Amino acid sequence: MELLQYALDNLGLLGTRTLEHISLVGVAVGIATLTGVPIGIAITQNERVARAVLYVASIIVTIPSVALFGVMIPILSLIGQGIGYLPAVIAVLLYSQLPIIRNTYTAIHNVDPALREAARGVGMSQRQRLRMVEIPLAVPVIMAGVRTAVVLNIGVMAIAAYIGAGGLGTFISRGISQSDPRQLILGAVAVSLLAIIADYALLALQKRLTPKGMAVSSATA
Amino acid sequence: MIRLDNLTKVFDTPDGAVVAADHISMEVPRGEICVLLGPSGCGKTTTLKMINRIVRSTSGKVFLDGEDTSGLDTEALRRNIGYVIQQIGLFPNMTIEENITVVPKLLGWDKQRYKTRARELMDMIAMDAEAFLKRYPSELSGGQQQRIGVARALAADPPVMLMDEPFGAIDPINRAVIQDEFLKMQAELQKTIMFVSHDIDEAIKMGDRIAIFREGKLVQYSEPDELLSAPKNTFVESFLGEDRALKRLNLVRVRDVISDEIGTVVGNDTLTTARERIDAHGYRDAILLVDDRRRPIGVISRDTTGSHQGYCRDHMRGLPAVVNLGDDLRKVASLMFAHDTTWLPCVDDNGTLCGQITQRDMTHHLGSRYRARRSAADSEKPVGS
Ligand SMILES: Nc1ncnc2c1ncn2[C@@H]1O[C@H](COP(=O)(O)OP(=O)(O)OP(=O)(O)O)[C@@H](O)[C@H]1O
Ligand SMILES: [Mg+2]
């Protein structure tokens, strides 16, 4: 009850922090999609390159976020951006690469060879094959990767409050430093809710983007 | 016209080089269907795919209508060749209309033209345009998808078609229907077609010529009747099977064997007349009864003419069966066995009597090829041997 009261009292702040959080994750995953999808497509051309890229991407994900921020602070300080928005976005961008690249790569790689042959047989160029057949068929799986990235990084972004990036994590960090369980719990609950809501929203989007003729929506990864 | 000149493919595999096609040279005349036939792994698919460069040839040349295709751009070449694959391969993200207009669109046709074409194609494959064009492939049965696969290949009216076991994925009954439809279409369209199959009966039915492959080599390239009556070696013989002479029954039509000499009676003839005619023609058991428009309606048996008096119309027995001029001998033989008879009346499409077909005539017709060959062989023997 006390918590609810606190939330209502700070509704304005909660809203601001939530928007901050969404925009941080949104920008970062947005950029990650713009880079990850082309990389995922490009590496289908060469299996060895693909393995190397996916290996690097999975190593990045294993770096704890705190450590990643630690590494970035001195580097980005050179341009006066050691803390705050930029390192947070870069961290999320890096973490997002793996699910997006991997799903894109897997989806394109797994397009039924018969369809690929049919596409070649009717005389499509490589670009036309990608645009007309392979990417449309891969969209559900790519979207599943984006979803994973968003949900994963809503959590990561909560930690970015420690480097002054703002967002819902601020409630948590203040809650801890001020020994105020109300703030702490409000932050935690808000982050979880946001993750769940984002997941559902993106699932709906994924379904809309799935080509109509594809009876079974592909596996979610 | 398709001409292959020493077309060869060597695959480099971890286990060494595999020669999938070994200096294949052959020619398919314009407007004909050539079936590539042979056991699994003999190189049929590889040979076919070298024509539209799905597989790159190691050496050798492909000519289409006399033109060496090696100078052509790959995409342009493929858009000019209809391609039907066994797995059908319709694009699941596209509607039926989008699927069958894919090549026209790639060729830059304007919208009006390819929309009209889509409807034409649906008519051609006997499917309802309104009902199907807006659907997706997953909403069609296997047989319908297969027809759409053929329509997609025909869309830009290419002179040449490549078909790799195109009807392999459908059940036997539907397959026979689609084969018939396809042959009817081909009779009009006159495409030059290479068609891969591993089913001898399909090859005999579809092929104007059949190419038998073995381990990457072209072993025999003949018309079906020639192939069945004169297999080149023991491999071809055993591949065609012990009953290969019987398969020739499929290739011969009633009109090729019919004898137009047949004695008949009408209802108003007396049994005595019937008896006289039976004797005059030397028939063993019966004579055919026809109506005033010469349509067979029954038979008068020899025994009846001996034991009864009166008019034929009162003493006729039912007709065992009649065959049509267009029926093949396989059907005729089957009917003869089923009705335990050695002859059957033959009619045209109006049901009018044209003559009869007898077991002797059939045996004689099928045997003539072997006889001709034997006497040719005999005459080649050196004198005195
Ligand atoms: N991409 C490839 N790499 C290596 N070897 C191949 C490749 N494609 C085909 N082969 C080999 O080439 C030979 C001929 O294959 P092909 O597919 O042409 O046979 P096929 O006559 O079509 O057989 P099937 O009736 O089974 O379809 C086989 O020995 C096969 O293993
Ligand atoms: Mg094959």
Side-chain angles (χ1 to χ4, degrees):
Chain A
M1 259 320 70
E2 206 187 338
L3 180 69
L4 201 62
Q5 191 56 49
Y6 181 79
L8 288 175
D9 292 345
N10 294 283
L11 210 54
L13 185 63
L14 185 63
T16 317
R17 293 290 184 222
T18 307
L19 286 181
E20 263 172 30
H21 210 101
I22 293 174
S23 90
L24 279 165
V25 175
V27 167
V29 177
I31 298 173
T33 307
L34 293 181
T35 54
V37 171
I39 293 175
I41 292 171
I43 60 176
T44 54
Q45 298 306 309
N46 186 321
E47 214 163 305
R48 276 178 50 203
V49 175
R51 246 179 284 142
V53 169
L54 290 173
Y55 184 69
V56 171
S58 35
I59 294 229
I60 292 176
V61 177
T62 64
I63 304 174
S65 46
V66 177
L68 195 56
F69 293 137
V71 173
M72 276 190 294
I73 290 171
I75 300 174
L76 293 176
S77 295
L78 298 177
I79 54 167
Q81 300 274 354
I83 56 170
Y85 191 81
L86 191 64
V89 167
I90 291 179
V92 168
L93 188 106
L94 289 176
Y95 285 140
S96 301
Q97 294 299 319
L98 180 66
I100 295 176
I101 294 179
R102 189 188 50 202
N103 277 31
T104 305
Y105 170 76
T106 313
I108 301 276
H109 195 74
N110 289 351
V111 166
D112 182 355
L115 289 180
R116 196 168 288 136
E117 185 180 321
R120 288 209 288 155
V122 295
M124 290 184 192
S125 67
Q126 195 177 356
R127 270 159 182 277
Q128 287 166 330
R129 290 204 303 271
L130 272 172
R131 185 167 53 79
M132 299 168 77
V133 180
E134 295 173 10
I135 293 179
L137 294 182
V139 157
V141 181
I142 295 176
M143 273 305 295
V146 172
R147 236 172 82 209
T148 310
V150 166
V151 173
L152 178 81
N153 286 303
I154 284 178
V156 169
M157 199 52 97
I159 297 169
Y162 278 102
I163 54 165
L168 290 167
T170 328
F171 288 111
I172 300 176
S173 60
R174 295 240 173 96
I176 291 171
S177 60
Q178 299 169 9
S179 301
D180 178 357
R182 292 175 312 179
Q183 288 193 57
L184 179 64
I185 296 175
L186 178 66
V189 170
V191 167
S192 312
L193 278 181
L194 185 60
I196 294 170
I197 293 168
D199 194 33
Y200 274 101
L202 288 170
L203 185 63
L205 181 65
Q206 177 183 332
K207 286 197 175 137
R208 281 202 45 185
L209 290 180
T210 303
K212 267 209 218 91
M214 289 172 67
V216 278
S217 65
S218 316
T220 45
Chain B
M1 182 209 68
I2 306 171
R3 185 156 69 85
L4 311 184
D5 180 19
N6 282 302
L7 204 55
T8 301
K9 177 70 192 183
V10 183
F11 285 110
D12 288 318
T13 69
D15 310 330
V18 175
V19 185
D22 192 358
H23 295 86
I24 305 295
S25 297
M26 59 191 290
E27 184 171 325
V28 187
R30 188 195 290 260
E32 289 198 2
I33 300 181
C34 161
V35 179
L36 309 185
L37 185 65
S40 191
C42 65
K44 310 178 291 287
T45 296
T46 304
T47 302
L48 188 81
K49 288 184 182 173
M50 281 192 281
I51 298 173
N52 65 352
R53 293 197 210 143
I54 298 287
V55 170
R56 277 209 179 271
S57 59
T58 307
S59 65
K61 285 197 159 127
V62 177
F63 297 84
L64 297 182
D65 279 330
E67 186 187 8
D68 182 352
T69 59
S70 51
L72 298 177
D73 167 65
T74 301
E75 269 93 45
L77 173 73
R78 288 177 183 157
R79 289 170 193 172
N80 225 341
I81 298 178
Y83 186 41
V84 186
I85 59 177
Q86 174 168 5
Q87 309 88 327
I88 310 179
L90 299 182
F91 304 120
N93 55 318
M94 299 183 193
T95 60
I96 298 308
E97 178 163 20
E98 288 164 344
N99 263 286
I100 62 181
T101 54
V102 118
V103 182
K105 278 186 203 159
L106 289 171
L107 289 170
W109 290 20
D110 64 58
K111 192 167 172 179
Q112 187 58 43
R113 185 165 167 221
Y114 68 66
K115 290 240 164 199
T116 315
R117 180 62 178 161
R119 276 162 180 75
E120 258 174 50
L121 287 162
M122 293 301 274
D123 283 347
M124 214 185 274
I125 56 171
M127 281 174 71
D128 181 18
E130 294 316 312
F132 288 105
L133 280 181
K134 296 293 170 228
R135 289 206 208 169
Y136 286 91
S138 58
E139 299 166 324
L140 266 56
S141 74
Q144 290 167 340
Q145 293 187 24
Q146 196 63 264
R147 289 182 176 85
I148 299 297
V150 172
R152 179 174 65 185
L154 285 169
D157 204 18
V160 170
M161 303 256 290
L162 306 177
M163 310 177 84
D164 192 354
E165 306 203 26
F167 310 134
I170 351 177
D171 61 276
I173 295 175
N174 254 308
R175 188 185 313 154
V177 174
I178 295 192
Q179 285 169 344
D180 290 334
E181 285 174 6
F182 186 77
L183 284 175
K184 217 181 280 169
M185 244 160 50
Q186 164 66 1
E188 270 182 39
L189 298 176
Q190 298 281 313
K191 304 289 182 197
T192 309
I193 299 172
M194 275 251 201
F195 186 113
V196 170
S197 178
H198 60 243
D199 174 1
I200 302 161
D201 293 313
E202 180 174 64
I204 293 168
K205 180 171 178 181
M206 307 296 289
D208 296 303
R209 283 153 199 267
I210 298 176
I212 304 274
F213 280 67
R214 180 196 194 184
E215 291 171 3
K217 291 200 168 66
L218 176 59
V219 184
Q220 180 166 6
Y221 184 40
S222 313
E223 289 172 12
D225 196 50
E226 169 78 14
L227 181 74
L228 289 168
S229 58
K232 238 183 200 162
N233 57 30
T234 48
F235 167 77
V236 181
E237 270 178 16
S238 68
F239 187 76
L240 296 174
E242 300 289 353
D243 62 345
R244 58 186 176 277
L246 280 184
K247 292 189 196 301
R248 289 182 56 214
L249 290 173
N250 290 329
L251 295 169
V252 185
R253 306 273 148 195
V254 168
R255 68 167 59 83
D256 305 328
V257 187
I258 188 172
S259 91
D260 48 14
E261 201 243 77
I262 179 171
T264 55
V265 288
V266 294
N268 285 336
D269 288 329
T270 61
L271 288 178
T272 319
T273 314
R275 179 54 176 257
E276 284 165 15
R277 296 224 180 118
I278 288 175
D279 288 339
H281 284 93
Y283 293 155
R284 222 174 30 165
D285 40 40
I287 189 163
L288 189 70
L289 178 72
V290 294
D291 66 8
D292 49 2
R293 290 162 66 187
R294 274 190 78 70
R295 287 179 306 204
I297 48 175
V299 292
I300 303 295
S301 75
R302 193 186 181 101
D303 297 345
T304 315
T305 60
S307 56
H308 292 76
Q309 296 286 319
Y311 291 102
C312 288
R313 61 172 172 271
D314 302 322
H315 295 279
M316 70 172 182
R317 275 195 292 122
L319 203 58
V322 291
V323 294
N324 196 285
L325 286 177
D327 289 338
D328 64 39
L329 293 197
R330 188 187 170 101
K331 176 175 173 188
V332 177
S334 172
L335 285 171
M336 283 181 177
F337 294 142
H339 293 98
D340 190 23
T341 176
T342 57
W343 66 280
L344 286 171
C346 310
V347 297
D348 61 17
D349 287 336
N350 301 320
T352 310
L353 184 69
C354 302
Q356 64 172 336
I357 184 163
T358 67
Q359 269 180 16
R360 275 196 52 166
D361 293 339
M362 286 165 60
T363 317
H364 186 84
H365 185 91
L366 289 177
S368 59
R369 260 192 180 273
Y370 301 107
R371 262 193 309 284
R373 192 156 304 112
R374 207 169 319 118
S375 59
D378 285 347
S379 63
E380 272 168 28
K381 278 184 194 155
V383 187
S385 73

